[in-house]
Amino acid sequence: MSQDAFRSLYERLREQTRQGPADRRGALNHLTPDRVVTAAAEIRSGRSVSLAAPVETRSGPDSPEPAVHRMTGPEPGDLGAPGLDFARDRFAMNVHGDCDSHLDALCHVIYDGALYNGVPASTVTPDGATALTVDIVADGIVGRGVLLDIPRLRGVPWLEPGDQVTADELVAAEGAQGVRTGPGDLLLVRVGHRRRRRETGPWDAASARAGLHPQAMEFLAERRVAVLGSDGNNDTAPSAVEGVDFPVHVLAIHAMGVHLMDYLQFEELAPLCAREGRWSFLCVVAPLRLPAATGSPVNPIAIL
């Protein structure tokens, strides 16, 4: 895709999804209270499933800066001591890596010197962001989740790195699975990244990964999707656009105001949906309360 074609798509999607000059919630405006109430009716069996991968603490080709987990107490010599003590630990992590499940806030993408809806990039300071932060979703994101399984559609275990999911495939997956994505939904697109990683081992996902083609964002705009998540990065690598490394991030976050969830895992959810014959459910996303952050580790829960 040429830069000119991408720019045209960007401008078209921005106009199509514009929420007003003062908007700071983006596509979450589609997730109204009445739609949350309706989403609660998706619960039938009461089964809950995590959509997050375990936090990676080992260095690897897709986690050169893994999370650090350190025990802070008790001291080994105190383990047998009488009386009370506590086991204590500390985590530190790079939120926007290529391994751990996380949510991107609307301040995560700077494009043409600005954030979503023209908010100045200067609001991102060395001490943290002051606008469009993850604090916008401090009360959580609760709505109807829809899982579209693209490897299932293609009849393969996973998409190979570099493969791109098109808008037509999203529509075809809906038809094959008997589900339709609607306004305010949390759209989850499986490319099989986690299964491939588990069965073939980690690889440099920053250089090669499956994801969505930029034009697939037209599907999200048309259906008024509130949140997009994938078991990959949502973007392919190498990029489908000349000179733009993360076109889906630019279109979703910057042009459309769609919060993204990267590197989720659907290897428990997908077979459960297949067995129950339904691909929609209540989805609960609860980011950490990080007022100045550009994202957060996240553990979304699907409740069927």
Side-chain angles (χ1 to χ4, degrees):
M1 191 176 195
S2 69
Q3 288 194 34
D4 287 345
F6 175 77
R7 175 63 68 174
S8 177
L9 176 61
Y10 171 90
E11 296 294 346
R12 185 166 66 252
L13 291 175
R14 186 173 65 171
E15 288 303 314
Q16 186 177 349
T17 59
R18 191 179 294 277
Q19 300 280 349
D23 177 63
R24 296 297 180 264
R25 289 181 57 79
L28 290 177
N29 288 306
H30 301 314
L31 187 50
T32 58
D34 62 309
R35 286 177 177 147
V36 175
V37 172
T38 300
E42 295 282 341
I43 301 176
R44 300 174 195 172
S45 66
R47 171 76 181 272
S48 63
V49 183
S50 169
L51 308 184
V55 173
E56 186 60 73
T57 57
R58 294 173 298 178
S59 181
D62 59 349
S63 57
E65 297 178 310
V68 177
H69 179 211
R70 181 170 64 86
M71 298 301 295
T72 60
E75 295 296 329
D78 297 335
L79 290 174
L84 175 67
D85 206 339
F86 295 96
R88 306 179 301 280
D89 49 2
R90 179 180 183 275
F91 276 94
M93 68 184 300
N94 170 23
V95 172
H96 299 289
D98 287 305
C99 189
D100 294 319
S101 305
H102 64 272
L103 178 140
D104 292 339
L106 296 185
C107 61
H108 177 49
V109 173
I110 303 170
Y111 186 63
D112 287 345
L115 308 180
Y116 165 71
N117 213 15
V119 172
S122 59
T123 56
V124 179
T125 76
D127 297 319
T130 60
L132 301 173
T133 69
V134 76
D135 200 43
I136 288 174
V137 291
D139 293 324
I141 305 171
V142 180
R144 177 178 180 256
V146 173
L147 176 64
L148 297 183
D149 192 337
I150 305 305
R152 184 176 189 267
L153 176 71
R154 295 191 187 182
V156 297
W158 55 71
L159 305 192
E160 289 296 340
D163 281 354
Q164 300 175 38
V165 179
T166 67
D168 286 344
E169 284 187 301
L170 296 178
V171 174
E174 286 184 321
Q177 297 172 207
V179 69
R180 181 177 173 85
T181 309
D185 283 352
L186 285 65
L187 175 60
L188 308 174
V189 180
R190 179 177 178 267
V191 298
H193 180 99
R194 290 292 180 183
R195 181 174 173 183
R196 188 182 193 277
R197 186 180 190 273
R198 183 185 69 206
E199 295 189 14
T200 69
W203 71 95
D204 181 10
S207 299
R209 60 180 178 267
L212 279 72
H213 189 278
Q215 289 178 323
M217 294 301 100
E218 294 181 297
F219 175 91
L220 277 75
E222 176 189 338
R223 301 296 181 86
R224 292 183 287 168
V225 165
V227 176
L228 172 63
S230 175
D231 53 346
N233 175 262
N234 286 291
D235 267 295
T236 60
S239 173
V241 179
E242 300 172 4
V244 181
D245 286 337
F246 296 89
V248 169
H249 276 66
V250 173
L251 296 174
I253 295 176
H254 199 277
M256 302 166 60
V258 174
H259 285 76
L260 294 185
M261 291 188 290
D262 297 335
Y263 294 109
L264 304 179
Q265 70 88 14
F266 305 132
E267 298 313 302
E268 297 170 13
L269 176 63
L272 180 60
C273 286
R275 285 196 301 270
E276 296 198 4
R278 60 192 183 99
W279 298 84
S280 61
F281 37 84
L282 181 68
C283 190
V284 178
V285 183
L288 300 179
R289 296 293 301 268
L290 301 168
T294 64
S296 170
V298 72
N299 180 22
I301 303 295
I303 309 170
L304 286 84

